Amino acid sequence: GEVYYFTGQVLIHCGALDAGFEMVRSAVDRNYCAATGLASEAFWDPHREHPRFRELLRAANECRDRFLKSSG
């Protein structure tokens, strides 16, 4: 999952927003939740208002919550 997350960031950085958001979503779907990174990394600042980012953050938070519930 981590490789998908960082590859997605590279794609977004290069301007391929759709492909990049899809790649990061693939990371989340593979249980690389990344909720903290999405919420705090400066890389995401220019994209925070993008609808795909908001959906991605929601999915990442749900992933994190499922993990915490199952582990504890």
Side-chain angles (χ1 to χ4, degrees):
E2 188 174 2
V3 171
Y4 291 91
Y5 180 81
F6 291 113
T7 301
Q9 283 186 318
V10 169
L11 289 167
I12 290 168
H13 179 74
C14 292
L17 295 181
D18 287 337
F21 279 120
E22 283 298 316
M23 188 67 69
V24 177
R25 180 58 193 246
S26 293
V28 173
D29 290 346
R30 288 171 170 78
N31 296 316
Y32 186 76
C33 300
T36 302
L38 288 166
S40 64
E41 290 177 1
F43 172 85
W44 296 107
D45 289 350
H47 308 288
R48 293 196 189 283
E49 297 303 316
H50 193 287
R52 302 242 358 225
F53 177 83
R54 289 193 300 264
E55 168 58 25
L56 185 59
L57 184 59
R58 183 196 61 73
N61 285 328
E62 289 176 359
C63 176
R64 179 203 57 216
D65 293 346
R66 279 191 309 274
F67 171 77
L68 291 174
K69 185 177 180 179
S70 71
S71 64

